[in-house]
Amino acid sequence: MSTLSVATIKNTGSGQPVFRDNNNNLVGQLVQVWVNFAGGRSGLTSFGIRASNGVSSVVDNGEGDFTVNFTTAFASAGSFCCTSQSREDNNGGNGDHNTYYQRVLSYTQAGSIRFRTGTTSGFSDNDQIWLTCIGTQ
């Protein structure tokens, strides 16, 4: 077994770096887009991005309805996004729901994804919302 210890990994061609096994089979790739943002629920948190990579903006379309715009559009319908959410505030209180939502980008625009957050009783602007996307940009 070998250990790779470097400061930078760079693709010598075009596109994102990928990971391959000794038979040249694709075994993984990097997450191109991720964001952590606050939905602005009931004054507990202000709406906005906390941290992100590859995201130009997040739009609040209404109660529990958000659009995340990507800095660079995805080129392939095989790209995949997954979200997670929690109603908890930043102090670990006021919540009890975590839900997961997956969407293939062929159902969305290549430059953005629109999704809903909420609980079993309806849509809501939750305090902790995370999105990750993997694919070819």
Side-chain angles (χ1 to χ4, degrees):
M1 180 177 195
S2 299
T3 300
L4 177 65
S5 179
V6 298
T8 303
I9 295 176
K10 181 179 178 183
N11 186 347
T12 58
S14 63
Q16 300 287 336
V18 298
F19 301 91
R20 297 191 179 274
D21 65 14
N22 61 345
N23 293 318
N24 205 31
N25 297 312
L26 181 66
V27 295
Q29 63 185 98
L30 302 173
V31 172
Q32 281 76 24
V33 170
W34 62 266
V35 64
N36 171 351
F37 69 96
R41 180 173 76 93
S42 303
L44 291 175
T45 56
S46 298
F47 171 76
I49 295 173
R50 290 187 179 101
S52 68
N53 182 67
V55 170
S56 60
S57 65
V58 176
V59 178
D60 187 347
N61 302 306
E63 185 76 16
D65 183 1
F66 301 98
T67 299
V68 174
N69 295 300
F70 309 135
T71 304
T72 303
F74 281 87
S76 168
S79 302
F80 175 82
C81 292
C82 180
T83 65
S84 176
Q85 64 177 345
S86 173
R87 294 186 68 204
E88 294 180 358
D89 61 21
N90 291 329
N91 299 315
N94 299 322
D96 60 349
H97 296 283
N98 284 307
T99 59
Y100 304 93
Y101 176 90
Q102 305 82 36
R103 174 147 299 189
V104 176
L105 285 178
S106 59
Y107 299 112
T108 67
Q109 298 179 30
S112 65
I113 183 169
R114 186 171 180 172
F115 61 94
R116 293 199 174 261
T117 60
T119 68
T120 55
S121 54
F123 300 121
S124 66
D125 292 339
N126 291 334
D127 302 306
Q128 303 280 343
I129 304 169
W130 302 271
L131 169 82
T132 56
C133 298
I134 299 171
T136 302
Q137 286 185 296

